[in-house]
Amino acid sequence: MEYIEELKAVLGDKVLTENFERFIFGADWSPRTQKEIFPPDVVICPRCTEDVVETVKIAYKHGIPVTAGGGLTGMAGGAVPIHGGIYIDGACMNKIMEVDVANQTIRTQSGATLQELVDAGKPHGLWFPVLPESKWSCTIASAIACDNDSTFGMKYGKPLNQVLSIEMVTGKGEIIEAGHRKARFSASGYKLKDLIIGSEGTLGVITAATVKLEPVPEHRHVDMIIFDSMGKAVDYLNNILKAGLIPEGAHINCKRRLKFYTHAYKEKHGHDPEIPEWAGSLLAIIFAGDKDVVDFSLKKAYAMADEMGGQLIQEREIIDNWWISKHTLDFPAFKQKWPASQKVKKFGAADPGIPMGRLEEYYDIFVETAEKYELDILGMNAYLEHPGSIGFSLSCALFVNYRDQDEVDRFRKYFEEMSKRAVDLEGTMSTYMSDTDLKVPYFEYEHGLGAEYMLEIKRLFDPKCIMNPGKKFTREKVLGKEG
Ligand SMILES: Cc1cc2nc3c(=O)[nH]c(=O)nc-3n(C[C@H](O)[C@H](O)[C@H](O)COP(=O)(O)OP(=O)(O)OC[C@H]3O[C@@H](n4cnc5c(N)ncnc54)[C@H](O)[C@@H]3O)c2cc1C
């Protein structure tokens, strides 16, 4: 193909075309059958922003799709190049350019993993606190592109709260810097940076970012409390905030998910841990900071749990295993996290957001919808992701047999129904996976006329619809060729 020869002329051995090189990039972690794997025609391994500019300029000239990806751990197909064309392996650009200790910021190329940002800050007593479980492979560009979740969201929020500035190559091959450099906020101009966050590569390729670093807390304590319902756990957290305590993280697990976390325990001891019959939810709560302050917070938190009928998990092994599985992914716990059934079925999830008072109602919808489509329930997690207040990001997870097209199709119907029901409950379809191609057919269900304005924004940044086409909008719709 002519454009591939042009790419080779400019980028040399950064251009990969062998089948085994292309097929690696045809799928991510989303449940999909073999026939739903879409290898790109060519893979680019850029080293600098200029390499990305050259790539996009050639793609623009020929109207070739460009999909950028990071660690490919996305769970809804965001980085899958469904229209073929060029795949930019963003993980190749992982240089940390500056750690500014005085201003507590870091400037990095877009392919650095979130763990690499943590490691770069560490010698200076600083860290980047937006950390999903996939932090070892998730790049900063992907975290921005999906506005993903963090274990520590209750204190620090999401990328939207931590990113100060983003460099991006638009669909025309131009470089823009969106944001406010090292200033914490700005009232100047339109908030282009915030527009890019969650845009999943549909407006351009992110090439660098400046993000906030935070002081590493001296001490951290993780605990787990059982309540009789998920709603009670929400009330408890609300009381905790009302009392003036700020947890660093909080996660509410439904009772089914609780079983999932105790899998390793059962393997080791041959029986389930002692969990009372009445358990309806398991709240994991994290406090961090000065040891005295953490101890004080815990004392208060325990007393409040007791008053509300909560029961602390006594077996430290369960808490430690959960924490390892969540935060360090050391092997034994990783095994616990992904039980043997993973070999046959894959983890699939819907990622809606709902208002704080509707968790119980939505949990019932989750169970009912999974049963309706005859899917195997793994469980529901509510991650608290809004700094200093109750804001859920939900993982409504199932096991999906990715070899069975019928089951994968039923999973997609479940995904659609869960997304729409969240909007019906005054919530949103997505909180950490973004829209991908899955939500395209019902995108207007959430956005109504707003979707038309979004379409114009898409056309402004990407007039030929080459940037991750097929995500958020169909390519035909963007190019005005629909119907
Ligand atoms: C075991 C496991 C645990 C997980 N835990 C969590 C969790 O705790 N919280 C959470 O939120 N998610 C979690 N996820 C989901 C996933 O890891 C996150 O969504 C993460 O953001 C994906 O990062 P990635 O680098 O693998 O992205 P990819 O799958 O490679 O890409 C994701 C999106 O980012 C876009 N993108 C990538 N690079 C660029 C770029 N340079 N410019 C523009 N767009 C770009 C892609 O086009 C795509 O739309 C988990 C997944 C797995 C498999």
Side-chain angles (χ1 to χ4, degrees), residues 342-383:
Q342 267 295 105
K343 288 176 194 151
V344 186
K345 296 198 169 195
K346 217 170 175 171
F347 176 100
D351 68 321
I354 47 141
M356 61 185 278
R358 308 196 89 157
L359 193 58
E360 288 286 330
E361 203 177 334
Y362 197 71
Y363 179 68
D364 291 342
I365 291 173
F366 163 54
V367 175
E368 184 191 299
T369 314
E371 283 172 357
K372 175 173 160 189
Y373 292 107
E374 296 174 27
L375 294 160
D376 202 0
I377 294 180
L378 192 158
M380 186 163 118
N381 269 2
Y383 299 108

mmCIF file of all heavy atoms in Angstrom, residues 342-383:
data_model
loop_
_atom_site.group_PDB
_atom_site.id
_atom_site.type_symbol
_atom_site.label_atom_id
_atom_site.label_comp_id
_atom_site.label_asym_id
_atom_site.label_seq_id
_atom_site.Cartn_x
_atom_site.Cartn_y
_atom_site.Cartn_z
ATOM 1 N N GLN A 342 -11.365 -18.430 34.868
ATOM 2 C CA GLN A 342 -10.861 -17.475 33.871
ATOM 3 C C GLN A 342 -10.309 -18.169 32.629
ATOM 4 O O GLN A 342 -10.234 -17.574 31.561
ATOM 5 C CB GLN A 342 -9.743 -16.628 34.463
ATOM 6 C CG GLN A 342 -10.186 -15.316 35.068
ATOM 7 C CD GLN A 342 -10.768 -14.345 34.075
ATOM 8 O OE1 GLN A 342 -11.967 -14.158 34.023
ATOM 9 N NE2 GLN A 342 -9.953 -13.701 33.281
ATOM 10 N N LYS A 343 -9.888 -19.422 32.805
ATOM 11 C CA LYS A 343 -9.317 -20.129 31.652
ATOM 12 C C LYS A 343 -10.395 -20.413 30.618
ATOM 13 O O LYS A 343 -10.128 -20.584 29.450
ATOM 14 C CB LYS A 343 -8.686 -21.442 32.119
ATOM 15 C CG LYS A 343 -7.399 -21.196 32.886
ATOM 16 C CD LYS A 343 -6.847 -22.501 33.410
ATOM 17 C CE LYS A 343 -5.767 -22.229 34.458
ATOM 18 N NZ LYS A 343 -5.689 -23.286 35.444
ATOM 19 N N VAL A 344 -11.633 -20.502 31.060
ATOM 20 C CA VAL A 344 -12.719 -20.804 30.145
ATOM 21 C C VAL A 344 -13.489 -19.529 29.826
ATOM 22 O O VAL A 344 -13.847 -19.268 28.688
ATOM 23 C CB VAL A 344 -13.691 -21.820 30.786
ATOM 24 C CG1 VAL A 344 -14.747 -22.247 29.793
ATOM 25 C CG2 VAL A 344 -12.930 -22.996 31.332
ATOM 26 N N LYS A 345 -13.723 -18.734 30.867
ATOM 27 C CA LYS A 345 -14.536 -17.530 30.671
ATOM 28 C C LYS A 345 -13.716 -16.295 31.009
ATOM 29 O O LYS A 345 -12.791 -16.354 31.806
ATOM 30 C CB LYS A 345 -15.761 -17.594 31.571
ATOM 31 C CG LYS A 345 -16.680 -18.744 31.212
ATOM 32 C CD LYS A 345 -18.039 -18.543 31.785
ATOM 33 C CE LYS A 345 -18.999 -19.576 31.186
ATOM 34 N NZ LYS A 345 -20.385 -19.215 31.421
ATOM 35 N N LYS A 346 -14.097 -15.203 30.395
ATOM 36 C CA LYS A 346 -13.380 -13.966 30.604
ATOM 37 C C LYS A 346 -14.223 -13.027 31.439
ATOM 38 O O LYS A 346 -15.447 -13.091 31.425
ATOM 39 C CB LYS A 346 -13.106 -13.339 29.232
ATOM 40 C CG LYS A 346 -11.776 -12.671 29.159
ATOM 41 C CD LYS A 346 -11.468 -12.289 27.728
ATOM 42 C CE LYS A 346 -10.175 -11.508 27.706
ATOM 43 N NZ LYS A 346 -9.683 -11.265 26.386
ATOM 44 N N PHE A 347 -13.542 -12.151 32.134
ATOM 45 C CA PHE A 347 -14.190 -11.126 32.937
ATOM 46 C C PHE A 347 -14.772 -10.062 31.991
ATOM 47 O O PHE A 347 -14.062 -9.530 31.147
ATOM 48 C CB PHE A 347 -13.065 -10.540 33.796
ATOM 49 C CG PHE A 347 -13.372 -9.401 34.669
ATOM 50 C CD1 PHE A 347 -13.592 -9.614 36.014
ATOM 51 C CD2 PHE A 347 -13.392 -8.107 34.187
ATOM 52 C CE1 PHE A 347 -13.839 -8.551 36.855
ATOM 53 C CE2 PHE A 347 -13.642 -7.044 35.024
ATOM 54 C CZ PHE A 347 -13.864 -7.270 36.366
ATOM 55 N N GLY A 348 -16.072 -9.788 32.103
ATOM 56 C CA GLY A 348 -16.677 -8.719 31.308
ATOM 57 C C GLY A 348 -17.504 -7.848 32.230
ATOM 58 O O GLY A 348 -18.091 -8.354 33.190
ATOM 59 N N ALA A 349 -17.551 -6.549 31.978
ATOM 60 C CA ALA A 349 -18.279 -5.677 32.918
ATOM 61 C C ALA A 349 -18.956 -4.516 32.206
ATOM 62 O O ALA A 349 -18.490 -4.056 31.157
ATOM 63 C CB ALA A 349 -17.317 -5.144 33.978
ATOM 64 N N ALA A 350 -20.056 -4.060 32.802
ATOM 65 C CA ALA A 350 -20.650 -2.775 32.410
ATOM 66 C C ALA A 350 -20.113 -1.760 33.419
ATOM 67 O O ALA A 350 -19.826 -2.116 34.566
ATOM 68 C CB ALA A 350 -22.171 -2.857 32.478
ATOM 69 N N ASP A 351 -19.966 -0.484 33.007
ATOM 70 C CA ASP A 351 -19.297 0.509 33.859
ATOM 71 C C ASP A 351 -20.136 1.769 34.102
ATOM 72 O O ASP A 351 -19.645 2.882 33.979
ATOM 73 C CB ASP A 351 -17.955 0.903 33.236
ATOM 74 C CG ASP A 351 -18.106 1.681 31.934
ATOM 75 O OD1 ASP A 351 -19.006 1.331 31.145
ATOM 76 O OD2 ASP A 351 -17.351 2.649 31.712
ATOM 77 N N PRO A 352 -21.402 1.622 34.459
ATOM 78 C CA PRO A 352 -22.251 2.802 34.608
ATOM 79 C C PRO A 352 -21.975 3.579 35.898
ATOM 80 O O PRO A 352 -21.256 3.112 36.784
ATOM 81 C CB PRO A 352 -23.654 2.200 34.666
ATOM 82 C CG PRO A 352 -23.456 0.843 35.197
ATOM 83 C CD PRO A 352 -22.108 0.388 34.777
ATOM 84 N N GLY A 353 -22.583 4.757 35.973
ATOM 85 C CA GLY A 353 -22.542 5.554 37.206
ATOM 86 C C GLY A 353 -23.969 5.930 37.573
ATOM 87 O O GLY A 353 -24.801 6.209 36.692
ATOM 88 N N ILE A 354 -24.277 5.884 38.856
ATOM 89 C CA ILE A 354 -25.637 6.223 39.293
ATOM 90 C C ILE A 354 -25.555 7.132 40.514
ATOM 91 O O ILE A 354 -24.525 7.162 41.185
ATOM 92 C CB ILE A 354 -26.457 4.956 39.639
ATOM 93 C CG1 ILE A 354 -25.614 4.019 40.525
ATOM 94 C CG2 ILE A 354 -26.922 4.214 38.413
ATOM 95 C CD1 ILE A 354 -26.401 3.373 41.576
ATOM 96 N N PRO A 355 -26.627 7.868 40.822
ATOM 97 C CA PRO A 355 -26.579 8.721 42.011
ATOM 98 C C PRO A 355 -26.493 7.907 43.295
ATOM 99 O O PRO A 355 -26.875 6.730 43.316
ATOM 100 C CB PRO A 355 -27.904 9.492 41.953
ATOM 101 C CG PRO A 355 -28.548 9.161 40.672
ATOM 102 C CD PRO A 355 -27.901 7.957 40.101
ATOM 103 N N MET A 356 -26.019 8.550 44.363
ATOM 104 C CA MET A 356 -25.678 7.806 45.583
ATOM 105 C C MET A 356 -26.851 7.086 46.242
ATOM 106 O O MET A 356 -26.673 6.050 46.868
ATOM 107 C CB MET A 356 -25.001 8.733 46.604
ATOM 108 C CG MET A 356 -25.828 9.885 47.069
ATOM 109 S SD MET A 356 -24.863 10.987 48.153
ATOM 110 C CE MET A 356 -25.001 10.139 49.715
ATOM 111 N N GLY A 357 -28.068 7.592 46.062
ATOM 112 C CA GLY A 357 -29.208 6.993 46.745
ATOM 113 C C GLY A 357 -29.808 5.796 46.021
ATOM 114 O O GLY A 357 -30.815 5.236 46.473
ATOM 115 N N ARG A 358 -29.218 5.393 44.875
ATOM 116 C CA ARG A 358 -29.887 4.377 44.074
ATOM 117 C C ARG A 358 -29.096 3.078 43.917
ATOM 118 O O ARG A 358 -29.371 2.274 43.021
ATOM 119 C CB ARG A 358 -30.224 4.982 42.705
ATOM 120 C CG ARG A 358 -30.960 6.291 42.849
ATOM 121 C CD ARG A 358 -31.631 6.742 41.616
ATOM 122 N NE ARG A 358 -32.974 6.228 41.504
ATOM 123 C CZ ARG A 358 -33.931 6.807 40.762
ATOM 124 N NH1 ARG A 358 -33.672 7.922 40.120
ATOM 125 N NH2 ARG A 358 -35.122 6.270 40.688
ATOM 126 N N LEU A 359 -28.140 2.890 44.794
ATOM 127 C CA LEU A 359 -27.261 1.726 44.651
ATOM 128 C C LEU A 359 -28.014 0.401 44.808
ATOM 129 O O LEU A 359 -27.841 -0.521 44.010
ATOM 130 C CB LEU A 359 -26.107 1.823 45.667
ATOM 131 C CG LEU A 359 -24.942 0.862 45.445
ATOM 132 C CD1 LEU A 359 -24.317 1.053 44.072
ATOM 133 C CD2 LEU A 359 -23.873 1.037 46.521
ATOM 134 N N GLU A 360 -28.857 0.338 45.821
ATOM 135 C CA GLU A 360 -29.625 -0.904 46.065
ATOM 136 C C GLU A 360 -30.493 -1.242 44.854
ATOM 137 O O GLU A 360 -30.544 -2.378 44.399
ATOM 138 C CB GLU A 360 -30.547 -0.718 47.275
ATOM 139 C CG GLU A 360 -29.836 -0.670 48.604
ATOM 140 C CD GLU A 360 -29.355 -2.041 49.046
ATOM 141 O OE1 GLU A 360 -29.982 -3.046 48.699
ATOM 142 O OE2 GLU A 360 -28.314 -2.087 49.722
ATOM 143 N N GLU A 361 -31.199 -0.198 44.388
ATOM 144 C CA GLU A 361 -32.106 -0.361 43.248
ATOM 145 C C GLU A 361 -31.332 -0.888 42.030
ATOM 146 O O GLU A 361 -31.766 -1.793 41.324
ATOM 147 C CB GLU A 361 -32.659 1.038 42.941
ATOM 148 C CG GLU A 361 -33.944 1.104 42.208
ATOM 149 C CD GLU A 361 -34.365 2.580 42.053
ATOM 150 O OE1 GLU A 361 -33.988 3.463 42.867
ATOM 151 O OE2 GLU A 361 -35.074 2.834 41.091
ATOM 152 N N TYR A 362 -30.144 -0.310 41.822
ATOM 153 C CA TYR A 362 -29.371 -0.697 40.651
ATOM 154 C C TYR A 362 -28.777 -2.106 40.807
ATOM 155 O O TYR A 362 -28.623 -2.830 39.830
ATOM 156 C CB TYR A 362 -28.271 0.335 40.360
ATOM 157 C CG TYR A 362 -27.729 0.193 38.963
ATOM 158 C CD1 TYR A 362 -28.507 0.564 37.859
ATOM 159 C CD2 TYR A 362 -26.475 -0.346 38.729
ATOM 160 C CE1 TYR A 362 -28.033 0.399 36.561
ATOM 161 C CE2 TYR A 362 -25.996 -0.516 37.440
ATOM 162 C CZ TYR A 362 -26.785 -0.136 36.363
ATOM 163 O OH TYR A 362 -26.315 -0.301 35.080
ATOM 164 N N TYR A 363 -28.478 -2.462 42.033
ATOM 165 C CA TYR A 363 -27.967 -3.823 42.269
ATOM 166 C C TYR A 363 -29.026 -4.860 41.853
ATOM 167 O O TYR A 363 -28.722 -5.858 41.193
ATOM 168 C CB TYR A 363 -27.582 -3.999 43.746
ATOM 169 C CG TYR A 363 -27.082 -5.396 44.041
ATOM 170 C CD1 TYR A 363 -25.874 -5.833 43.513
ATOM 171 C CD2 TYR A 363 -27.836 -6.277 44.811
ATOM 172 C CE1 TYR A 363 -25.408 -7.121 43.749
ATOM 173 C CE2 TYR A 363 -27.380 -7.568 45.050
ATOM 174 C CZ TYR A 363 -26.168 -7.983 44.516
ATOM 175 O OH TYR A 363 -25.721 -9.258 44.740
ATOM 176 N N ASP A 364 -30.283 -4.576 42.200
ATOM 177 C CA ASP A 364 -31.364 -5.493 41.811
ATOM 178 C C ASP A 364 -31.466 -5.569 40.281
ATOM 179 O O ASP A 364 -31.682 -6.644 39.710
ATOM 180 C CB ASP A 364 -32.706 -5.023 42.395
ATOM 181 C CG ASP A 364 -32.732 -5.176 43.919
ATOM 182 O OD1 ASP A 364 -31.889 -5.926 44.446
ATOM 183 O OD2 ASP A 364 -33.578 -4.531 44.572
ATOM 184 N N ILE A 365 -31.298 -4.423 39.630
ATOM 185 C CA ILE A 365 -31.341 -4.398 38.156
ATOM 186 C C ILE A 365 -30.205 -5.248 37.583
ATOM 187 O O ILE A 365 -30.373 -5.989 36.617
ATOM 188 C CB ILE A 365 -31.246 -2.928 37.643
ATOM 189 C CG1 ILE A 365 -32.528 -2.177 37.992
ATOM 190 C CG2 ILE A 365 -30.951 -2.869 36.151
ATOM 191 C CD1 ILE A 365 -32.507 -0.683 37.705
ATOM 192 N N PHE A 366 -29.044 -5.142 38.208
ATOM 193 C CA PHE A 366 -27.866 -5.912 37.771
ATOM 194 C C PHE A 366 -28.167 -7.425 37.799
ATOM 195 O O PHE A 366 -27.994 -8.129 36.791
ATOM 196 C CB PHE A 366 -26.682 -5.544 38.690
ATOM 197 C CG PHE A 366 -25.519 -6.496 38.659
ATOM 198 C CD1 PHE A 366 -24.896 -6.837 37.469
ATOM 199 C CD2 PHE A 366 -25.011 -7.032 39.843
ATOM 200 C CE1 PHE A 366 -23.804 -7.704 37.444
ATOM 201 C CE2 PHE A 366 -23.926 -7.895 39.832
ATOM 202 C CZ PHE A 366 -23.324 -8.235 38.630
ATOM 203 N N VAL A 367 -28.663 -7.884 38.939
ATOM 204 C CA VAL A 367 -28.918 -9.326 39.079
ATOM 205 C C VAL A 367 -30.002 -9.776 38.087
ATOM 206 O O VAL A 367 -29.851 -10.768 37.362
ATOM 207 C CB VAL A 367 -29.316 -9.658 40.540
ATOM 208 C CG1 VAL A 367 -29.712 -11.122 40.685
ATOM 209 C CG2 VAL A 367 -28.164 -9.315 41.499
ATOM 210 N N GLU A 368 -31.055 -8.973 38.037
ATOM 211 C CA GLU A 368 -32.193 -9.285 37.154
ATOM 212 C C GLU A 368 -31.743 -9.321 35.677
ATOM 213 O O GLU A 368 -32.101 -10.236 34.927
ATOM 214 C CB GLU A 368 -33.180 -8.134 37.380
ATOM 215 C CG GLU A 368 -34.510 -8.132 36.716
ATOM 216 C CD GLU A 368 -35.115 -6.723 36.928
ATOM 217 O OE1 GLU A 368 -35.339 -6.307 38.094
ATOM 218 O OE2 GLU A 368 -35.317 -6.045 35.923
ATOM 219 N N THR A 369 -30.917 -8.373 35.269
ATOM 220 C CA THR A 369 -30.500 -8.293 33.859
ATOM 221 C C THR A 369 -29.537 -9.434 33.519
ATOM 222 O O THR A 369 -29.636 -10.043 32.447
ATOM 223 C CB THR A 369 -29.841 -6.919 33.564
ATOM 224 O OG1 THR A 369 -30.661 -5.906 34.125
ATOM 225 C CG2 THR A 369 -29.691 -6.668 32.078
ATOM 226 N N ALA A 370 -28.617 -9.718 34.438
ATOM 227 C CA ALA A 370 -27.685 -10.833 34.182
ATOM 228 C C ALA A 370 -28.469 -12.141 34.041
ATOM 229 O O ALA A 370 -28.196 -12.947 33.147
ATOM 230 C CB ALA A 370 -26.675 -10.933 35.318
ATOM 231 N N GLU A 371 -29.473 -12.318 34.908
ATOM 232 C CA GLU A 371 -30.268 -13.558 34.848
ATOM 233 C C GLU A 371 -31.086 -13.617 33.556
ATOM 234 O O GLU A 371 -31.199 -14.658 32.925
ATOM 235 C CB GLU A 371 -31.166 -13.664 36.086
ATOM 236 C CG GLU A 371 -30.342 -14.092 37.304
ATOM 237 C CD GLU A 371 -31.102 -14.040 38.625
ATOM 238 O OE1 GLU A 371 -32.280 -13.612 38.622
ATOM 239 O OE2 GLU A 371 -30.498 -14.406 39.655
ATOM 240 N N LYS A 372 -31.634 -12.458 33.176
ATOM 241 C CA LYS A 372 -32.435 -12.394 31.944
ATOM 242 C C LYS A 372 -31.615 -12.885 30.736
ATOM 243 O O LYS A 372 -32.128 -13.594 29.884
ATOM 244 C CB LYS A 372 -32.886 -10.950 31.731
ATOM 245 C CG LYS A 372 -33.615 -10.678 30.449
ATOM 246 C CD LYS A 372 -34.163 -9.259 30.443
ATOM 247 C CE LYS A 372 -34.456 -8.771 29.057
ATOM 248 N NZ LYS A 372 -34.773 -7.334 29.042
ATOM 249 N N TYR A 373 -30.334 -12.511 30.681
ATOM 250 C CA TYR A 373 -29.504 -12.921 29.545
ATOM 251 C C TYR A 373 -28.686 -14.183 29.844
ATOM 252 O O TYR A 373 -27.754 -14.518 29.108
ATOM 253 C CB TYR A 373 -28.604 -11.750 29.110
ATOM 254 C CG TYR A 373 -29.421 -10.622 28.511
ATOM 255 C CD1 TYR A 373 -29.623 -9.437 29.204
ATOM 256 C CD2 TYR A 373 -30.042 -10.780 27.269
ATOM 257 C CE1 TYR A 373 -30.409 -8.423 28.674
ATOM 258 C CE2 TYR A 373 -30.832 -9.777 26.731
ATOM 259 C CZ TYR A 373 -31.009 -8.603 27.436
ATOM 260 O OH TYR A 373 -31.790 -7.605 26.903
ATOM 261 N N GLU A 374 -29.064 -14.857 30.945
ATOM 262 C CA GLU A 374 -28.451 -16.135 31.332
ATOM 263 C C GLU A 374 -26.925 -16.058 31.383
ATOM 264 O O GLU A 374 -26.205 -16.848 30.765
ATOM 265 C CB GLU A 374 -28.902 -17.231 30.368
ATOM 266 C CG GLU A 374 -30.400 -17.473 30.444
ATOM 267 C CD GLU A 374 -30.874 -18.455 29.383
ATOM 268 O OE1 GLU A 374 -30.094 -19.305 28.954
ATOM 269 O OE2 GLU A 374 -32.047 -18.345 29.004
ATOM 270 N N LEU A 375 -26.447 -15.038 32.088
ATOM 271 C CA LEU A 375 -24.997 -14.844 32.219
ATOM 272 C C LEU A 375 -24.575 -15.086 33.659
ATOM 273 O O LEU A 375 -25.339 -14.847 34.596
ATOM 274 C CB LEU A 375 -24.625 -13.428 31.757
ATOM 275 C CG LEU A 375 -24.849 -13.185 30.262
ATOM 276 C CD1 LEU A 375 -24.946 -11.700 29.950
ATOM 277 C CD2 LEU A 375 -23.744 -13.837 29.436
ATOM 278 N N ASP A 376 -23.367 -15.549 33.781
ATOM 279 C CA ASP A 376 -22.808 -15.974 35.063
ATOM 280 C C ASP A 376 -22.312 -14.742 35.852
ATOM 281 O O ASP A 376 -21.369 -14.073 35.424
ATOM 282 C CB ASP A 376 -21.623 -16.874 34.653
ATOM 283 C CG ASP A 376 -21.225 -17.817 35.723
ATOM 284 O OD1 ASP A 376 -21.863 -17.790 36.778
ATOM 285 O OD2 ASP A 376 -20.243 -18.562 35.491
ATOM 286 N N ILE A 377 -22.924 -14.481 37.011
ATOM 287 C CA ILE A 377 -22.595 -13.252 37.752
ATOM 288 C C ILE A 377 -21.293 -13.396 38.535
ATOM 289 O O ILE A 377 -21.083 -14.380 39.226
ATOM 290 C CB ILE A 377 -23.738 -12.901 38.737
ATOM 291 C CG1 ILE A 377 -24.998 -12.550 37.959
ATOM 292 C CG2 ILE A 377 -23.327 -11.745 39.658
ATOM 293 C CD1 ILE A 377 -26.186 -12.199 38.826
ATOM 294 N N LEU A 378 -20.464 -12.386 38.419
ATOM 295 C CA LEU A 378 -19.238 -12.333 39.225
ATOM 296 C C LEU A 378 -19.496 -11.413 40.428
ATOM 297 O O LEU A 378 -19.122 -11.704 41.549
ATOM 298 C CB LEU A 378 -18.115 -11.807 38.335
ATOM 299 C CG LEU A 378 -16.684 -11.906 38.820
ATOM 300 C CD1 LEU A 378 -15.748 -11.841 37.639
ATOM 301 C CD2 LEU A 378 -16.342 -10.818 39.793
ATOM 302 N N GLY A 379 -20.111 -10.274 40.182
ATOM 303 C CA GLY A 379 -20.479 -9.394 41.294
ATOM 304 C C GLY A 379 -20.366 -7.923 40.940
ATOM 305 O O GLY A 379 -19.882 -7.568 39.868
ATOM 306 N N MET A 380 -20.835 -7.097 41.861
ATOM 307 C CA MET A 380 -20.830 -5.646 41.615
ATOM 308 C C MET A 380 -19.926 -4.947 42.622
ATOM 309 O O MET A 380 -19.936 -5.259 43.807
ATOM 310 C CB MET A 380 -22.246 -5.104 41.743
ATOM 311 C CG MET A 380 -22.352 -3.647 41.375
ATOM 312 S SD MET A 380 -24.096 -3.237 41.070
ATOM 313 C CE MET A 380 -24.359 -2.046 42.329
ATOM 314 N N ASN A 381 -19.139 -4.008 42.117
ATOM 315 C CA ASN A 381 -18.292 -3.152 42.953
ATOM 316 C C ASN A 381 -18.699 -1.713 42.739
ATOM 317 O O ASN A 381 -18.886 -1.307 41.592
ATOM 318 C CB ASN A 381 -16.843 -3.205 42.452
ATOM 319 C CG ASN A 381 -16.046 -4.277 43.112
ATOM 320 O OD1 ASN A 381 -16.564 -5.013 43.916
ATOM 321 N ND2 ASN A 381 -14.792 -4.352 42.756
ATOM 322 N N ALA A 382 -18.782 -0.967 43.816
ATOM 323 C CA ALA A 382 -18.961 0.489 43.668
ATOM 324 C C ALA A 382 -17.670 1.130 44.150
ATOM 325 O O ALA A 382 -17.335 1.043 45.336
ATOM 326 C CB ALA A 382 -20.147 0.962 44.496
ATOM 327 N N TYR A 383 -16.925 1.703 43.212
ATOM 328 C CA TYR A 383 -15.681 2.395 43.560
ATOM 329 C C TYR A 383 -16.031 3.847 43.832
ATOM 330 O O TYR A 383 -16.726 4.476 43.035
ATOM 331 C CB TYR A 383 -14.681 2.333 42.411
ATOM 332 C CG TYR A 383 -14.259 0.935 42.029
ATOM 333 C CD1 TYR A 383 -14.694 0.356 40.847
ATOM 334 C CD2 TYR A 383 -13.419 0.205 42.854
ATOM 335 C CE1 TYR A 383 -14.305 -0.925 40.496
ATOM 336 C CE2 TYR A 383 -13.028 -1.073 42.511
ATOM 337 C CZ TYR A 383 -13.471 -1.635 41.338
ATOM 338 O OH TYR A 383 -13.095 -2.910 40.989
#
